[in-house]
Amino acid sequence: MTTSQLLATHLKHQLGMLKWHLDDFSDADMFVRPCPGANHAMWQTGHIVASTGQLLAMVSDTFRTPIAEGLTSRFTGETARLDDPSAFPTLAELRQAVDTLADAAGSWAAELPQSLLEQPSPDPVKAWAPTRGLLLAGIASHVQMHVGQIQVIRRKLGKPHLF
């Protein structure tokens, strides 16, 4: 297994973990906030879909997100405060977006050459991830961090612990 294949598998796995954690959520569950000021699962999941596409394009400009801008543009710093379901896609649409992104990102990332992974990251993320390989790993970690936040929402809703 190459480094690219490992990182691609890790990212696809983390996006799968996100989807798994939402499998028993209803549309209403997606708008529960664990505490005042915290983001609900709808925004967090949409943020992952939007930001993952943007960050992957920083790894290499050959990545083109398969997710329509009409969906990703709904997840901004301003929309994080909204609780109106009409401002967001449906849970079914968001689940499909996670699947589509995971498949596209996994296939694309598995083919990245080692030489690209060793290149410095673009300036906006260089302090967070000095190389493009570390950026790719960090994208998966970003997904994992949000899965942890969704775990808190699961507990608030009384849903079973998954692991």
Side-chain angles (χ1 to χ4, degrees):
M1 176 178 277
T2 67
T3 303
S4 293
Q5 291 168 336
L6 175 66
L7 292 170
T9 300
H10 181 51
L11 175 58
K12 192 168 180 177
H13 178 75
Q14 291 309 313
L15 289 166
M17 290 284 286
L18 172 65
K19 195 164 167 241
W20 177 45
H21 277 74
L22 301 174
D23 276 348
D24 58 355
F25 271 48
S26 68
D27 283 293
D29 291 342
M30 293 296 288
F31 290 92
V32 171
R33 294 180 187 272
C35 65
N39 296 322
H40 48 64
M42 174 58 73
W43 188 87
Q44 289 187 61
T45 305
H47 163 71
I48 287 296
V49 169
S51 65
T52 296
Q54 294 166 345
L55 290 167
L56 288 172
M58 288 185 187
V59 173
S60 170
D61 62 8
T62 62
F63 184 78
R64 301 285 183 267
T65 185
I67 309 305
E69 185 180 339
L71 186 139
T72 60
S73 65
R74 295 178 176 188
F75 299 96
T76 66
E78 292 78 37
T79 64
R81 294 184 282 270
L82 299 178
D83 293 319
D84 178 6
S86 69
F88 299 97
T90 66
L91 176 54
E93 291 171 319
L94 203 50
R95 282 184 174 135
Q96 181 59 53
V98 172
D99 280 341
T100 300
L101 180 63
D103 289 341
S107 298
W108 170 82
E111 300 300 320
L112 293 173
Q114 182 68 30
S115 59
L116 180 117
L117 299 177
E118 294 169 0
Q119 290 178 9
S121 289
D123 286 340
V125 294
K126 195 176 279 187
W128 177 57
T131 67
R132 291 171 192 259
L134 287 172
L135 175 56
L136 186 53
I139 296 166
S141 296
H142 180 231
V143 175
Q144 188 175 34
M145 182 265 301
H146 282 286
V147 169
Q149 293 175 344
I150 290 170
Q151 286 262 4
V152 175
I153 296 170
R154 290 186 62 78
R155 290 191 173 128
K156 181 174 182 175
L157 290 169
K159 295 191 178 291
H161 297 187
L162 296 180
F163 64 90

